PDB file of all heavy atoms in Angstrom:
ATOM      1  N   PHE A 417      21.202  -0.062  26.333  1.00 94.00           N
ATOM      2  CA  PHE A 417      21.171  -0.548  24.952  1.00 94.00           C
ATOM      3  C   PHE A 417      19.761  -0.467  24.377  1.00 94.00           C
ATOM      4  O   PHE A 417      19.569   0.000  23.245  1.00 94.00           O
ATOM      5  CB  PHE A 417      21.691  -1.989  24.873  1.00 94.00           C
ATOM      6  CG  PHE A 417      21.515  -2.584  23.504  1.00 94.00           C
ATOM      7  CD1 PHE A 417      22.378  -2.240  22.478  1.00 94.00           C
ATOM      8  CD2 PHE A 417      20.467  -3.450  23.231  1.00 94.00           C
ATOM      9  CE1 PHE A 417      22.201  -2.761  21.198  1.00 94.00           C
ATOM     10  CE2 PHE A 417      20.290  -3.970  21.972  1.00 94.00           C
ATOM     11  CZ  PHE A 417      21.153  -3.630  20.955  1.00 94.00           C
ATOM     12  N   CYS A 418      18.772  -0.923  25.154  1.00 92.00           N
ATOM     13  CA  CYS A 418      17.384  -0.866  24.679  1.00 92.00           C
ATOM     14  C   CYS A 418      16.952   0.575  24.421  1.00 92.00           C
ATOM     15  O   CYS A 418      16.308   0.862  23.401  1.00 92.00           O
ATOM     16  CB  CYS A 418      16.452  -1.515  25.691  1.00 92.00           C
ATOM     17  SG  CYS A 418      16.643  -3.300  25.804  1.00 92.00           S
ATOM     18  N   ASN A 419      17.313   1.475  25.322  1.00 90.00           N
ATOM     19  CA  ASN A 419      16.965   2.887  25.176  1.00 90.00           C
ATOM     20  C   ASN A 419      17.556   3.461  23.895  1.00 90.00           C
ATOM     21  O   ASN A 419      16.846   4.056  23.078  1.00 90.00           O
ATOM     22  CB  ASN A 419      17.465   3.652  26.408  1.00 90.00           C
ATOM     23  CG  ASN A 419      17.109   5.118  26.377  1.00 90.00           C
ATOM     24  OD1 ASN A 419      16.365   5.596  25.529  1.00 90.00           O
ATOM     25  ND2 ASN A 419      17.659   5.853  27.313  1.00 90.00           N
ATOM     26  N   TRP A 420      18.842   3.278  23.689  1.00 93.00           N
ATOM     27  CA  TRP A 420      19.495   3.855  22.513  1.00 93.00           C
ATOM     28  C   TRP A 420      19.080   3.154  21.232  1.00 93.00           C
ATOM     29  O   TRP A 420      18.970   3.790  20.176  1.00 93.00           O
ATOM     30  CB  TRP A 420      21.011   3.852  22.678  1.00 93.00           C
ATOM     31  CG  TRP A 420      21.442   4.945  23.601  1.00 93.00           C
ATOM     32  CD1 TRP A 420      21.880   4.802  24.883  1.00 93.00           C
ATOM     33  CD2 TRP A 420      21.416   6.345  23.330  1.00 93.00           C
ATOM     34  NE1 TRP A 420      22.132   6.038  25.422  1.00 93.00           N
ATOM     35  CE2 TRP A 420      21.864   7.003  24.491  1.00 93.00           C
ATOM     36  CE3 TRP A 420      21.058   7.112  22.227  1.00 93.00           C
ATOM     37  CZ2 TRP A 420      21.962   8.384  24.569  1.00 93.00           C
ATOM     38  CZ3 TRP A 420      21.158   8.483  22.310  1.00 93.00           C
ATOM     39  CH2 TRP A 420      21.614   9.109  23.466  1.00 93.00           C
ATOM     40  N   ALA A 421      18.832   1.843  21.290  1.00 95.00           N
ATOM     41  CA  ALA A 421      18.372   1.126  20.093  1.00 95.00           C
ATOM     42  C   ALA A 421      16.996   1.633  19.666  1.00 95.00           C
ATOM     43  O   ALA A 421      16.747   1.868  18.471  1.00 95.00           O
ATOM     44  CB  ALA A 421      18.336  -0.380  20.360  1.00 95.00           C
ATOM     45  N   CYS A 422      16.106   1.829  20.627  1.00 91.00           N
ATOM     46  CA  CYS A 422      14.767   2.345  20.294  1.00 91.00           C
ATOM     47  C   CYS A 422      14.847   3.775  19.781  1.00 91.00           C
ATOM     48  O   CYS A 422      14.138   4.142  18.830  1.00 91.00           O
ATOM     49  CB  CYS A 422      13.853   2.252  21.502  1.00 91.00           C
ATOM     50  SG  CYS A 422      13.393   0.548  21.907  1.00 91.00           S
ATOM     51  N   ASN A 423      15.703   4.604  20.390  1.00 92.00           N
ATOM     52  CA  ASN A 423      15.900   5.970  19.886  1.00 92.00           C
ATOM     53  C   ASN A 423      16.391   5.948  18.442  1.00 92.00           C
ATOM     54  O   ASN A 423      15.927   6.729  17.600  1.00 92.00           O
ATOM     55  CB  ASN A 423      16.908   6.733  20.747  1.00 92.00           C
ATOM     56  CG  ASN A 423      16.349   7.134  22.083  1.00 92.00           C
ATOM     57  OD1 ASN A 423      15.144   7.281  22.241  1.00 92.00           O
ATOM     58  ND2 ASN A 423      17.219   7.306  23.052  1.00 92.00           N
ATOM     59  N   PHE A 424      17.315   5.060  18.147  1.00 96.00           N
ATOM     60  CA  PHE A 424      17.864   4.942  16.800  1.00 96.00           C
ATOM     61  C   PHE A 424      16.780   4.501  15.808  1.00 96.00           C
ATOM     62  O   PHE A 424      16.640   5.078  14.728  1.00 96.00           O
ATOM     63  CB  PHE A 424      19.030   3.944  16.795  1.00 96.00           C
ATOM     64  CG  PHE A 424      19.617   3.712  15.441  1.00 96.00           C
ATOM     65  CD1 PHE A 424      20.472   4.643  14.871  1.00 96.00           C
ATOM     66  CD2 PHE A 424      19.315   2.559  14.722  1.00 96.00           C
ATOM     67  CE1 PHE A 424      21.012   4.423  13.614  1.00 96.00           C
ATOM     68  CE2 PHE A 424      19.848   2.341  13.469  1.00 96.00           C
ATOM     69  CZ  PHE A 424      20.703   3.278  12.912  1.00 96.00           C
ATOM     70  N   ILE A 425      15.997   3.502  16.193  1.00 95.00           N
ATOM     71  CA  ILE A 425      14.946   2.993  15.303  1.00 95.00           C
ATOM     72  C   ILE A 425      13.910   4.080  15.020  1.00 95.00           C
ATOM     73  O   ILE A 425      13.513   4.283  13.867  1.00 95.00           O
ATOM     74  CB  ILE A 425      14.289   1.738  15.909  1.00 95.00           C
ATOM     75  CG1 ILE A 425      15.276   0.574  15.883  1.00 95.00           C
ATOM     76  CG2 ILE A 425      13.007   1.373  15.182  1.00 95.00           C
ATOM     77  CD1 ILE A 425      14.857  -0.622  16.726  1.00 95.00           C
ATOM     78  N   VAL A 426      13.468   4.780  16.060  1.00 93.00           N
ATOM     79  CA  VAL A 426      12.485   5.854  15.860  1.00 93.00           C
ATOM     80  C   VAL A 426      13.076   6.945  14.981  1.00 93.00           C
ATOM     81  O   VAL A 426      12.431   7.433  14.041  1.00 93.00           O
ATOM     82  CB  VAL A 426      11.997   6.427  17.213  1.00 93.00           C
ATOM     83  CG1 VAL A 426      11.186   7.697  17.013  1.00 93.00           C
ATOM     84  CG2 VAL A 426      11.168   5.389  17.951  1.00 93.00           C
ATOM     85  N   GLY A 427      14.316   7.326  15.261  1.00 95.00           N
ATOM     86  CA  GLY A 427      14.963   8.378  14.464  1.00 95.00           C
ATOM     87  C   GLY A 427      15.122   8.004  13.001  1.00 95.00           C
ATOM     88  O   GLY A 427      14.938   8.844  12.115  1.00 95.00           O
ATOM     89  N   MET A 428      15.455   6.761  12.740  1.00 97.00           N
ATOM     90  CA  MET A 428      15.676   6.328  11.359  1.00 97.00           C
ATOM     91  C   MET A 428      14.368   6.070  10.608  1.00 97.00           C
ATOM     92  O   MET A 428      14.313   6.238   9.396  1.00 97.00           O
ATOM     93  CB  MET A 428      16.531   5.055  11.337  1.00 97.00           C
ATOM     94  CG  MET A 428      17.951   5.275  11.827  1.00 97.00           C
ATOM     95  SD  MET A 428      18.839   6.527  10.892  1.00 97.00           S
ATOM     96  CE  MET A 428      19.085   5.703   9.357  1.00 97.00           C
ATOM     97  N   CYS A 429      13.345   5.645  11.313  1.00 95.00           N
ATOM     98  CA  CYS A 429      12.103   5.224  10.647  1.00 95.00           C
ATOM     99  C   CYS A 429      10.990   6.256  10.675  1.00 95.00           C
ATOM    100  O   CYS A 429      10.005   6.105   9.946  1.00 95.00           O
ATOM    101  CB  CYS A 429      11.590   3.932  11.290  1.00 95.00           C
ATOM    102  SG  CYS A 429      12.721   2.550  11.140  1.00 95.00           S
ATOM    103  N   PHE A 430      11.101   7.296  11.499  1.00 95.00           N
ATOM    104  CA  PHE A 430       9.980   8.203  11.690  1.00 95.00           C
ATOM    105  C   PHE A 430       9.517   8.829  10.375  1.00 95.00           C
ATOM    106  O   PHE A 430       8.322   8.892  10.107  1.00 95.00           O
ATOM    107  CB  PHE A 430      10.308   9.301  12.702  1.00 95.00           C
ATOM    108  CG  PHE A 430       9.136  10.208  12.949  1.00 95.00           C
ATOM    109  CD1 PHE A 430       8.128   9.816  13.804  1.00 95.00           C
ATOM    110  CD2 PHE A 430       9.025  11.423  12.308  1.00 95.00           C
ATOM    111  CE1 PHE A 430       7.030  10.634  14.026  1.00 95.00           C
ATOM    112  CE2 PHE A 430       7.935  12.246  12.513  1.00 95.00           C
ATOM    113  CZ  PHE A 430       6.931  11.847  13.380  1.00 95.00           C
ATOM    114  N   GLN A 431      10.434   9.292   9.562  1.00 96.00           N
ATOM    115  CA  GLN A 431      10.036   9.964   8.318  1.00 96.00           C
ATOM    116  C   GLN A 431       9.264   9.017   7.391  1.00 96.00           C
ATOM    117  O   GLN A 431       8.266   9.405   6.792  1.00 96.00           O
ATOM    118  CB  GLN A 431      11.253  10.523   7.584  1.00 96.00           C
ATOM    119  CG  GLN A 431      10.905  11.359   6.373  1.00 96.00           C
ATOM    120  CD  GLN A 431      10.064  12.577   6.736  1.00 96.00           C
ATOM    121  OE1 GLN A 431      10.424  13.348   7.613  1.00 96.00           O
ATOM    122  NE2 GLN A 431       8.942  12.744   6.063  1.00 96.00           N
ATOM    123  N   TYR A 432       9.704   7.765   7.327  1.00 96.00           N
ATOM    124  CA  TYR A 432       9.012   6.784   6.484  1.00 96.00           C
ATOM    125  C   TYR A 432       7.617   6.474   7.040  1.00 96.00           C
ATOM    126  O   TYR A 432       6.650   6.348   6.281  1.00 96.00           O
ATOM    127  CB  TYR A 432       9.834   5.494   6.372  1.00 96.00           C
ATOM    128  CG  TYR A 432      11.189   5.725   5.759  1.00 96.00           C
ATOM    129  CD1 TYR A 432      12.338   5.617   6.535  1.00 96.00           C
ATOM    130  CD2 TYR A 432      11.324   6.071   4.419  1.00 96.00           C
ATOM    131  CE1 TYR A 432      13.595   5.836   5.982  1.00 96.00           C
ATOM    132  CE2 TYR A 432      12.575   6.292   3.853  1.00 96.00           C
ATOM    133  CZ  TYR A 432      13.702   6.174   4.644  1.00 96.00           C
ATOM    134  OH  TYR A 432      14.936   6.399   4.092  1.00 96.00           O
ATOM    135  N   ILE A 433       7.541   6.354   8.360  1.00 95.00           N
ATOM    136  CA  ILE A 433       6.245   6.081   8.987  1.00 95.00           C
ATOM    137  C   ILE A 433       5.315   7.278   8.812  1.00 95.00           C
ATOM    138  O   ILE A 433       4.120   7.121   8.548  1.00 95.00           O
ATOM    139  CB  ILE A 433       6.426   5.722  10.475  1.00 95.00           C
ATOM    140  CG1 ILE A 433       7.218   4.415  10.593  1.00 95.00           C
ATOM    141  CG2 ILE A 433       5.086   5.592  11.178  1.00 95.00           C
ATOM    142  CD1 ILE A 433       7.667   4.092  12.004  1.00 95.00           C
ATOM    143  N   ALA A 434       5.868   8.495   8.948  1.00 95.00           N
ATOM    144  CA  ALA A 434       5.062   9.717   8.764  1.00 95.00           C
ATOM    145  C   ALA A 434       4.546   9.805   7.331  1.00 95.00           C
ATOM    146  O   ALA A 434       3.394  10.188   7.104  1.00 95.00           O
ATOM    147  CB  ALA A 434       5.875  10.950   9.125  1.00 95.00           C
ATOM    148  N   ASP A 435       5.388   9.452   6.363  1.00 96.00           N
ATOM    149  CA  ASP A 435       4.943   9.456   4.965  1.00 96.00           C
ATOM    150  C   ASP A 435       3.846   8.417   4.736  1.00 96.00           C
ATOM    151  O   ASP A 435       2.906   8.653   3.976  1.00 96.00           O
ATOM    152  CB  ASP A 435       6.120   9.174   4.029  1.00 96.00           C
ATOM    153  CG  ASP A 435       7.133  10.307   3.997  1.00 96.00           C
ATOM    154  OD1 ASP A 435       6.789  11.437   4.420  1.00 96.00           O
ATOM    155  OD2 ASP A 435       8.280  10.056   3.562  1.00 96.00           O
ATOM    156  N   LEU A 436       3.955   7.290   5.403  1.00 96.00           N
ATOM    157  CA  LEU A 436       2.987   6.208   5.248  1.00 96.00           C
ATOM    158  C   LEU A 436       1.668   6.508   5.969  1.00 96.00           C
ATOM    159  O   LEU A 436       0.588   6.272   5.413  1.00 96.00           O
ATOM    160  CB  LEU A 436       3.582   4.898   5.787  1.00 96.00           C
ATOM    161  CG  LEU A 436       2.759   3.643   5.633  1.00 96.00           C
ATOM    162  CD1 LEU A 436       2.625   3.273   4.158  1.00 96.00           C
ATOM    163  CD2 LEU A 436       3.395   2.505   6.398  1.00 96.00           C
ATOM    164  N   CYS A 437       1.738   7.046   7.169  1.00 95.00           N
ATOM    165  CA  CYS A 437       0.534   7.242   7.998  1.00 95.00           C
ATOM    166  C   CYS A 437      -0.059   8.638   7.907  1.00 95.00           C
ATOM    167  O   CYS A 437      -1.196   8.844   8.337  1.00 95.00           O
ATOM    168  CB  CYS A 437       0.866   6.950   9.458  1.00 95.00           C
ATOM    169  SG  CYS A 437       1.366   5.257   9.753  1.00 95.00           S
ATOM    170  N   GLY A 438       0.703   9.581   7.409  1.00 94.00           N
ATOM    171  CA  GLY A 438       0.206  10.947   7.311  1.00 94.00           C
ATOM    172  C   GLY A 438      -0.061  11.546   8.675  1.00 94.00           C
ATOM    173  O   GLY A 438       0.737  11.386   9.599  1.00 94.00           O
ATOM    174  N   PRO A 439      -1.206  12.206   8.848  1.00 93.00           N
ATOM    175  CA  PRO A 439      -1.479  12.881  10.121  1.00 93.00           C
ATOM    176  C   PRO A 439      -1.735  11.921  11.287  1.00 93.00           C
ATOM    177  O   PRO A 439      -1.801  12.343  12.430  1.00 93.00           O
ATOM    178  CB  PRO A 439      -2.728  13.715   9.824  1.00 93.00           C
ATOM    179  CG  PRO A 439      -3.389  13.039   8.690  1.00 93.00           C
ATOM    180  CD  PRO A 439      -2.280  12.423   7.871  1.00 93.00           C
ATOM    181  N   TYR A 440      -1.856  10.646  10.996  1.00 96.00           N
ATOM    182  CA  TYR A 440      -2.117   9.669  12.050  1.00 96.00           C
ATOM    183  C   TYR A 440      -0.832   9.051  12.613  1.00 96.00           C
ATOM    184  O   TYR A 440      -0.895   8.071  13.350  1.00 96.00           O
ATOM    185  CB  TYR A 440      -3.032   8.561  11.526  1.00 96.00           C
ATOM    186  CG  TYR A 440      -4.387   9.074  11.133  1.00 96.00           C
ATOM    187  CD1 TYR A 440      -4.676   9.350   9.803  1.00 96.00           C
ATOM    188  CD2 TYR A 440      -5.362   9.316  12.085  1.00 96.00           C
ATOM    189  CE1 TYR A 440      -5.914   9.846   9.426  1.00 96.00           C
ATOM    190  CE2 TYR A 440      -6.610   9.816  11.728  1.00 96.00           C
ATOM    191  CZ  TYR A 440      -6.873  10.076  10.399  1.00 96.00           C
ATOM    192  OH  TYR A 440      -8.100  10.567  10.031  1.00 96.00           O
TER     193      TYR A 440
END
């Protein structure tokens, strides 16, 4: 559950975090 929940969170949030942090 922890593995799949973290995969889901990263998958759903990565684009927003990338837009916010840019190259960092």
Side-chain angles (χ1 to χ4, degrees):
F417 173 77
C418 290
N419 182 8
W420 284 106
C422 289
N423 287 335
F424 177 77
I425 290 167
V426 169
M428 293 302 289
C429 298
F430 182 80
Q431 186 61 52
Y432 300 110
I433 296 170
D435 291 342
L436 184 67
C437 297
Y440 297 98

